[in-house]
Amino acid sequence: MTEVVDRPTGKGPAAGISAARQRPAVQPAVDVAALGEQLLGKWAASRRQARTLAGKPELHKIEGLTHTDHRARAFGQLKYLVENNGVHRAFPVELGGADDHGGNVAGFEELVTADPSLQIKAGVQWGLFGSAVMHLGTAEHHAKWLPGIMSLEIPGCFAMTETGHGSDVASIATTATFDPDTQEFVIHTPFRAAWKDYIGNAAIDGLSAVVFAQLVTKDVNHGVHAFYVELRDPETKQFLPGIGGEDDGVKGGLNGIDNGRLHFDNVRIPRTNLLNRYGDVGADGSYTSPIASPGRRFFTMLGTLVQGRVSLDGAAVAASKIALTAAIRYAAERRQFNASSHTDEEVLLDYQRHQRRLLTRLATTYAAGFAHEQLLQKYDEVFSGAHDTDADRQDLETLAAALKPLSTWHALDTLQECREACGGAGFLIENRFASLRADLDVYVTFEGDNTVLLQLVAKRLLADYAKEFRNVDFGVMARYVVGQATGAAIHRTGLRQVAQFVADTGLAQKAAIALRDEAGQRALLTDRVQTMVADVGSALKGANRLPVEKGAALFNQHQNELIDAAQAHAELLQWEAFTEALADITDPGTKTVLTWLRDLFGLSLIEKNLAWYLMNGRLSMQRARTVGDYINRLLVKIRPHALDLVEAFGYGEDHVRAEIATGAEKARQDEARAYFRAQRASGNAPVEEKVLIARTASAARAGGN
């Protein structure tokens, strides 16, 4: 596209404030349709199908329902999804699925726009319960249970978390002890803290569950395995003998899901109910597994269920897009204060602070979206078998653990900021910010607590660092990274290992000269990750040779730095994903605007961590002062394209469903401006007191002369 005159912004002729007046007369234009196609990604067809479903009123959340009514509605909506072929993409072709793992997650995450409770309840049924049977079971299990799971004839639960052990799955206390005399496993919760807790579908709807328990046979504990356990009588919906439970009750959000607790008192199940793809018990009680290492076996079994984290990452990005679409549309219409005109008030989005609030989060949302598309492709490659080595699975697990915390925290931050940016209107439930934020609150702690996930990423970074530099003294390496004396840039795609060094031309401050340049941003962002990991690696050198308690204490002393390093690494992944996406844009105008948006994201990260760059000598004080100025200039450039950038998300009125995003505010503002314009033109407008005082003073001065 060639450059064109900027599109109308809805402002009056005299409404521009200083930032707005700095706009050039000619602006590059965004090709909204082409950008929208790019944002839909590889599984565009699945996303469109899911968005069509999510736009149906039958699936929309009805605000104000009691939790009992909301639960009943959500369960009915699951049936609607089945009837409309909305949930079976990942299941085997021979059972009516499509073996399309990437398309399945892409479609599933779009359901958050209809009702997050529906999305998560569907995730429990097919993404957790059904996937556990599919990925941890064998052909016999598939034939026996998957048809009923797919059709919703068997509503189920994913019973992993315990009251006493949340993210620490390896330490759960529920046991499954094999009895060779009866060829049965005995499922037992030995104390209250071992009850399965926060389990979706457990309070009312679940007829069966995949229960995770410590497998014990011949007096040997072989670690956590998964078992298929029937919970309730299909006719009476009452718990079967030996099984009990409680309703978790009303929650802070997601009240369409019947979360509950389950406990087992020596419940017996057939030996064949062990989902035995990765570990089996013979009739004589002997244990066998294709994976010799108990630790690797555990992580392999849990890794097959990584799609929960992948889908939450995508759903959080979708929720952020919905919030920003509503808030930016409103900000482009709502007027407040007449800062630069005696007659017209300013459009909110022309205020620099408002741009800071919304456009920086818009940039982060784009970065998170591009990173999610890479994660989704990695997920599909692993589960389709295209790239399914042990290393690929480890990379997928670490990538999901890195991105899910950032996107879910960002969604909560964005929803809150959008709520505040829309004032009192943002607090009304009809505009969805408060409702979405309540529902997404738990996303930061389920499918892996965000802080725990980042610690997993940090450990991987340390392991990669140690592997790469096994024979190099950590202290020397840390000083090398800090000094930036020499070295070649190593920028790997996918999961970036810590063994990367940023090319520099001499002093560290010289990198800041290219602050707005792609290479300069990459240098600063990458260098921070490397230095942080090297510093912690130096501090932890030899920890594995210490007594257990001393090694743990040393690690705990540096836990905060480790998690900060993991977050910096995840932010770098998002920046790299955004940068790689720019290469796929062919329209010049779109590429220019998206490059500005990428720069805004990168510079915002640098500004957020400016203290680190100053303390570590990466930026001079003088150069650091320019970061904010660069950001402000970018905001002025991006402002005229804000509406196009949210329009490219592709969400219609039936997805956004916020009254303030319908154009009603523009109609009110136009009516008000027309009223005062007509009043002034009639000559009958009352004179404002301050104007009268000014006239009187002016007349007095004239008379004195």
Side-chain angles (χ1 to χ4, degrees), residues 467-525:
K467 189 183 300 181
E468 190 76 18
F469 301 107
R470 194 177 303 279
N471 298 319
V472 179
D473 179 81
F474 275 95
V476 172
M477 188 56 63
R479 289 192 295 274
Y480 176 85
V481 175
V482 171
Q484 290 286 285
T486 59
I490 306 172
H491 301 300
R492 297 174 182 165
T493 58
L495 181 68
R496 225 155 255 92
Q497 293 188 4
V498 74
Q500 300 173 322
F501 288 94
V502 182
D504 203 354
T505 56
L507 296 176
Q509 284 84 350
K510 288 188 178 180
I513 297 173
L515 205 56
R516 291 174 295 175
D517 179 69
E518 178 180 308
Q521 290 176 38
R522 178 181 282 115
L524 288 168
L525 296 172

Side-chain angles (χ1 to χ4, degrees), residues 68 146 227 252 277 279 458 541 562 601 651 680:
T68 302
L146 282 185
F227 302 82
R277 179 176 178 183
K541 183 185 177 184
L562 268 173
F601 174 63
Y651 290 112
R680 290 192 300 270

Side-chain angles (χ1 to χ4, degrees), residues 367 371 374 399 402-403 406 461 490-492 494 496-498 500 502 518 521-530 565-580 601 605 613:
Q374 291 189 351
L399 194 57
L403 296 181
L406 263 61
L461 291 174
I490 306 172
H491 301 300
R492 297 174 182 165
R496 225 155 255 92
Q497 293 188 4
V498 74
Q500 300 173 322
V502 182
E518 178 180 308
Q521 290 176 38
R522 178 181 282 115
L524 288 168
L525 296 172
T526 307
D527 177 49
R528 181 166 180 263
V529 178
Q530 312 312 331
Q567 182 163 345
H569 170 74
E571 289 167 345
L572 173 61
L573 291 177
Q574 290 182 330
W575 184 90
E576 288 281 13
F578 202 150
T579 301
E580 290 164 18
F601 174 63
L605 292 177
Y613 288 105

